[in-house]
Amino acid sequence: MEGNVVIVGASHAAAQAVDSLRREGFTGRLLLVGDEPDLPYQRPPLSKKYLSGEFDPDRLWIRPAAFYEQQRCELRLGRRAVALDRSARRLRLDDGESLDYDRLLLATGGRGRRAPVPRADLAGIHYLRSRADVDGIRADLAPGRKVVIVGAGYIGLECAASCTKLGLEVTVLEMAPRVMSRVVAPQMSAFYEAEHALHGVDIRLGTSVAGFEGGTRVTAVAGADRGRFPAGLRVLGIGIVPNVELAEAAGIACDNGIAVDEHCRTSDPLVYAVGDCCSHPSPHYRRRIRLESVDNAFEQAKTAAANLCGRDVRHDRIPWFWSDQFDHKLQIVGLAEGYDRVILRGDPASRSFSCCYLRGAELLAVDAVNQPRDFMAAKKVIAERAPVDLARLADAGLSIRDAVVPG
Ligand code: FAD
């Protein structure tokens, strides 16, 4: 394929799209527009080893600068796409430059959800989405400073674990009655609550935030129940909102993200969207889903690139994700929703176990703690929708594959 392809957003999905477009035989002009100043970099280390200072910043790049030269990809970094004129097939950037396109790929990702409470703009209040956010947090990490983290989801808890490694005193405020309640079973929440307590993290469950105190800089977080949590640094990890505004203003259909079909195409056949910014119809789940995961960003980028180059490829993946907290690797495959039973494989006290989510005899999802074999086997079994024998599944001496009822 020839012509101009412009990619908006320069992160995981975009870097993969550059690679895949060229591999698929795209020979035309390729432009990458990103509003951060950096080349596409990996976000997962940000709340993990980059925050704790154990990750060399040079290792963050998804691809080295030379890669973009080799792929003949023109870069517009530190530049924001501000308007999309679909009838003229033209994208306008914040410095006034206009870029014509034949096909447009939106990979605009998401941004940290802002706290809807008074004084959320005080100095010392940080979000955790970009490298600049984490550099800001690190610059603010004076020894002995108390850290309050709002939100006990994956990112809030990873951030708590990293700050603890740095010797900081950490409190986590979570309005739900248990950690990661949206995505994991009570057994898994209990394991992580105990691990954090063991490392000195003070987790306050059932605690919502009413506002912040301080002159110009945050001094305390006020809880809705009148509790007060002194803090010199406060990090918010309360989820993301997809960056849909560019598409929405141009009249492209959105539905919990930019709505794409199974080919990653939006309501405009010349515009595709991939990664955290979009929702897609999942053949496996038989409904529209929006995922926030590196695997999804990479795989959708491959799908979109193939279709942009004239192939007919459908995106159909079982979601997977991971989270590192202290020395524990949690690998999650499938969506733990609509289950009627949870089976544990192994003993949480051994710190190596899995939590299996089932509906009847169908395995829906697995959370594997330091159990990569369970994670790998579950990926296949979940995708196949093969019925499993519950007693064999509970036997950690057997592989999850051995629990499949021969059909
Ligand atoms: P993003 O990475 O969000 O990038 C979108 C880019 O587009 C951003 O740079 C944004 O500024 C830019 N942009 C937006 N609008 C415009 C515009 N109009 N013009 C120009 N540029 C624009 N996933 C996992 O699978 N495992 C993990 O362990 C994990 N850990 C994570 C830890 C942290 C701290 C964070 C923040 C995320 C983590 N994730 C993890 C999620 C994962 O990083 C995301 O799923 C992934 O980054 C999505 O990639 P993306 O390319 O779709 O979008």
Side-chain angles (χ1 to χ4, degrees):
M1 183 189 136
E2 293 184 349
N4 285 358
V5 172
V6 176
I7 305 174
V8 184
S11 182
H12 288 277
Q16 182 61 51
V18 170
D19 183 62
S20 298
L21 278 164
R22 291 303 188 206
R23 281 178 196 270
E24 293 283 346
F26 173 61
T27 52
R29 187 177 181 206
L30 184 54
L31 285 111
L32 180 57
V33 180
D35 61 0
E36 294 186 62
D38 295 316
L39 287 172
Y41 61 86
Q42 306 174 59
R43 277 181 217 279
L46 295 181
S47 48
K48 308 175 179 81
K49 292 193 166 171
Y50 186 72
L51 176 57
S52 61
E54 299 161 273
F55 200 88
D56 181 353
D58 288 343
R59 284 177 55 206
L60 276 185
W61 311 126
I62 295 171
R63 303 285 188 153
F67 164 80
Y68 300 93
E69 273 176 45
Q70 284 155 8
Q71 303 301 323
R72 291 176 292 106
C73 177
E74 297 173 41
L75 300 175
R76 300 283 190 281
L77 298 178
R79 310 270 290 279
R80 188 164 181 76
V82 290
L84 169 58
D85 178 347
R86 293 195 291 127
S87 52
R89 284 196 238 148
R90 189 164 295 146
L91 187 71
R92 191 158 52 77
L93 307 191
D94 54 1
D95 61 354
E97 184 180 1
S98 284
L99 300 174
D100 291 337
Y101 66 83
D102 296 299
R103 298 283 188 281
L104 183 68
L105 179 60
L106 299 173
T108 49
R111 59 183 181 275
R113 192 182 293 283
R114 292 322 195 221
V117 294
R119 318 215 56 207
D121 53 353
L122 288 175
I125 297 177
H126 297 271
Y127 291 84
L128 208 168
R129 181 71 191 172
S130 67
R131 179 184 176 174
D133 290 340
V134 180
D135 290 344
I137 294 171
R138 284 188 58 80
D140 229 357
L141 288 176
R145 187 162 267 172
K146 285 188 165 59
V147 180
V148 173
I149 295 168
V150 179
Y154 296 124
I155 290 181
L157 292 180
E158 287 180 354
C159 182
S162 301
C163 288
T164 308
K165 271 192 190 166
L166 290 166
L168 297 157
E169 205 180 304
V170 183
T171 303
V172 179
L173 309 181
E174 168 57 56
M175 63 185 205
R178 57 187 180 86
V179 303
M180 302 189 285
S181 62
R182 215 168 41 87
V183 282
V184 301
Q187 295 91 323
M188 198 53 80
S189 297
F191 173 78
Y192 277 96
E193 284 161 16
E195 286 300 308
H196 278 266
L198 201 66
H199 288 84
V201 178
D202 180 8
I203 298 185
R204 304 292 181 97
L205 300 168
T207 306
S208 34
V209 169
F212 304 105
E213 298 173 10
T216 50
R217 186 179 175 88
V218 65
T219 52
V221 181
D225 59 355
R226 302 216 187 106
R228 197 172 165 278
F229 303 93
L233 174 72
R234 184 181 177 282
V235 182
L236 287 162
I238 50 175
I240 71 160
V241 285
N243 291 322
V244 300
E245 290 76 6
L246 183 69
E248 206 168 39
I252 291 175
C254 293
D255 175 5
N256 180 30
I258 302 168
V260 296
D261 64 14
E262 63 272 32
H263 294 94
C264 300
R265 200 165 32 210
T266 70
S267 55
D268 178 338
L270 303 182
V271 181
Y272 287 66
V274 290
D276 283 19
C277 69
C278 71
S279 66
H280 67 275
S282 160
H284 188 85
Y285 292 103
R286 300 189 187 106
R287 67 179 176 85
R288 183 167 284 283
I289 56 177
R290 190 176 66 76
L291 298 172
E292 297 163 16
S293 84
V294 167
D295 176 69
N296 181 64
F298 281 156
E299 293 302 321
Q300 282 196 317
K302 290 180 194 168
T303 303
N307 292 319
L308 279 161
C309 292
R311 290 213 287 138
D312 177 6
V313 176
R314 281 155 207 266
H315 181 72
D316 183 9
R317 300 268 299 177
I318 301 299
W320 65 268
F321 190 83
W322 76 95
S323 175
D324 299 336
Q325 296 169 41
F326 307 109
D327 292 331
H328 306 311
K329 179 162 283 299
L330 168 62
Q331 292 169 295
I332 302 123
V333 55
L335 300 179
E337 49 183 44
Y339 56 91
D340 53 28
R341 178 188 317 246
V342 172
I343 288 182
L344 280 186
R345 285 172 54 83
D347 182 1
S350 70
R351 299 195 165 83
S352 169
F353 69 104
S354 298
C355 199
C356 305
Y357 302 82
L358 296 112
R359 185 171 47 228
E362 182 186 349
L363 185 61
L364 302 177
V366 169
D367 299 334
V369 177
N370 302 319
Q371 266 295 355
R373 279 192 330 144
D374 279 3
F375 168 72
M376 292 308 292
K379 262 184 168 178
K380 290 205 180 86
V381 175
I382 293 169
E384 288 163 7
R385 284 211 149 99
V388 292
D389 178 280
L390 306 186
R392 289 175 73 81
L393 184 68
D395 183 346
L398 297 174
S399 160
I400 286 184
R401 277 211 76 76
D402 296 335
V404 172
V405 178

